[in-house]
Amino acid sequence: MLLRRRRAMVCREIVEAVTDYLEGTMSGRDRARFEAHLEGCPHCREYLTQMRTTLNVLGRLEPEDLAPEAQDELVALFRRWQAE
């Protein structure tokens, strides 16, 4: 049986998948690809460290913890990022 290998992850995919990685919701295959990329990419390792630190310092925020203006600003930023 011929198994097809999935291509290696690139930095943008790492950034998009970091939440799934940290929450442990990634498939085993994607987790292996994620970690393989980290082995060779110091920038993504640093990004992962920064995300872990941010979560540890801030904890978990719920939408109701934010002022309505802050919620609106975050939604607007997210929409602009998605449009790029």
Side-chain angles (χ1 to χ4, degrees):
M1 180 160 97
L2 179 63
L3 297 176
R4 291 175 46 187
R5 284 187 62 197
R6 296 182 91 182
R7 64 176 174 67
M9 284 186 147
V10 295
C11 295
R12 182 176 178 114
E13 290 172 311
I14 297 297
V15 169
E16 292 171 356
V18 74
T19 301
D20 291 339
Y21 180 78
L22 291 172
E23 292 179 351
T25 59
M26 262 184 184
S27 70
R29 175 183 274 175
D30 285 341
R31 185 174 194 82
R33 292 172 60 226
F34 189 97
E35 291 172 347
H37 178 88
L38 291 177
E39 287 178 20
C41 185
H43 306 292
C44 287
R45 284 195 307 270
E46 180 62 26
Y47 178 72
L48 178 61
T49 299
Q50 290 171 358
M51 292 302 293
R52 283 185 171 138
T53 300
T54 299
L55 290 173
N56 288 334
V57 171
L58 297 177
R60 300 219 181 252
L61 291 175
E62 297 297 326
E64 57 272 6
D65 294 335
L66 296 173
E69 299 82 17
Q71 289 181 31
D72 293 343
E73 186 174 343
L74 287 172
V75 169
L77 286 168
F78 179 76
R79 287 184 177 149
R80 283 196 302 269
W81 175 75
Q82 285 291 310
E84 293 179 4

